[in-house]
Amino acid sequence: MKKLSLRIRYTLITSLFLLISCTALTIISNLSANSVMQAITLSLSVEIGESAQQSPDSSPETSQEPEYISEPAVITTRASYRVFRRESIIATVLIVLIGSAATYAAAGYVLKPIVSLSREVKKRDANNFAQALPLPSSADEVQELTASFNALLAEVKRSFQLQKQFSADAAHELRTPLAVMQTKLDVFAMSGELPPEAQEFAKNLQAQLARLSSLVEDLLWFSRDYPLEPVEPVRLLPLLEDIVEELSDAAREKGIRVELHASDCVVQGQDCLLERAFYNLLENAIKYSPDGTVVELSAAVQEGAAVVRVADQGEGIPEKYREEIFEPFFRVEKSRNRAVGGSGLGLAVCKKILERHRAVIRVLPRHPCGSVFEVTFPS
C-alpha cells in the first residue's frame, strides 16, 4: 500500500478532529433543544389546561382531558425542533467538508517549500550531489533546514575531495618507484646468467609489478573528475579499431578471436576518455573469457542513439550482481578473480567515464552462456 503524503495525513487528522467536534456539538445542541422543547410543551400544556378549567361554559359532563398534542403551538414547537435537528446535521456535514477542503488547501500552501526542497534534493545525483540547494525566501524552519543541509553537503564534498586527492597523490607517488623497479627487474631478467629458478622468480615478480602498476593507473583514473570540456564529435569506428589492435596480443595469447561489427557512429565527448572506457570493457571480456572463444564488439545506431555492445562467452554474471560489479573493488568470485588478476577498478572507472558522457551501461545475459555489456549514448 502506498504511503500517504504528509498533506493527506494532515488533512485526514484535521477532518477527523472537525468531525468529532462538530458531532459532539450537534449532539449537545440537540439535547439542549430537546430539553427546551419539552419545557415549552409542558408550559403550553399547563396553560391550556388551566384555561379549560376556568372556562364558564364547561360542565362536568362535557369536560374531558384536553388533547394537548393537537394544539397548534405544541405542533409548531415540535416541528421547529425537527427542523433544527435536520439543519444541525446538514450544517455539521457542510462544516466538515468545507473545513477539510480548506485544510487541504492550507496544508498545500504551508508545505509548498518542503515540496520544492524535496524536488531539488531528487535532482541531485553522483555528479552534482554537492551542489547547494536554493534557499527559500521565507525566514522559517524550512530555510534553516535548507541551510543546514547545504552545510552538510559542503562538508561531504570536502571529505570526498580530500579522499580523491589522497588517492591521486598516493597513486602518483607510487608510479615512479614502480617504474624504476620494473626497469631494473627487466634488466636483471635479460642478463642471461640466471639459473632457471631465478628466471622463474623474476618472471613472477614482473607479473606482480605489472599488476600493481595497473592498479595504480586505475586508481589515478578513478580519482579524476573527468571534465568534458571541450566536447567534440567522436567517431566510434576508428576508436574501437584501435582498441582491438591494442588488445590483439592479449587475445592471441588465449586463442580468443575478437570480432568487430561497427558502423561509423558519432557521439559527443572526449575520445581519450571513451577509449579508456571501451578499452576496460574489451580487456575485461578477454580476461574472463575461456580460451578459444569469441568476443564480439559491435556499435550501431538504434532509434537515434549510438549503442555499443561487448559480448563474451564466459561464465556470465548472476542477476543479483549486475549492479554491484560497477562498484570499486567488487568481485563476483574472489578466488577466480585473484587467479585472473586485475585491479577491481576497471568497471568502476568505465561507469564513471560513461556517466560523464550521460551514457547508460548495463549488463545483460547472453545465451547460452556469457554476458553482454551494453552502452547506450543519449540520442
Side-chain angles (χ1 to χ4, degrees), residues 326-365:
F326 296 104
E327 298 296 328
F329 302 109
F330 178 81
R331 298 179 184 274
V332 177
E333 297 180 13
K334 294 181 172 55
S335 59
R336 184 169 68 93
N337 280 275
R338 288 195 189 98
V340 174
S343 63
L345 286 172
L347 291 178
V349 171
C350 180
K351 183 179 181 180
K352 188 174 182 180
I353 293 175
L354 293 174
E355 284 180 345
R356 289 287 183 174
H357 288 78
R358 296 188 296 117
V360 178
I361 181 171
R362 60 175 182 165
V363 184
L364 303 174

Side-chain angles (χ1 to χ4, degrees), residues 245 247-257 286:
E245 181 64 27
L247 291 171
S248 59
D249 291 339
R252 193 178 301 112
E253 289 179 1
K254 299 184 65 175
I256 293 176
R257 186 173 77 255
I286 294 173

Side-chain angles (χ1 to χ4, degrees), residues 1 4 13 36 47 91 134 180 224 257 260 271 280 309 348:
M1 182 178 179
L4 297 177
I13 293 174
V36 172
E47 291 178 1
V180 173
R224 294 174 182 173
R257 186 173 77 255
L260 175 61
D271 55 354
N280 285 359
R309 294 185 179 91

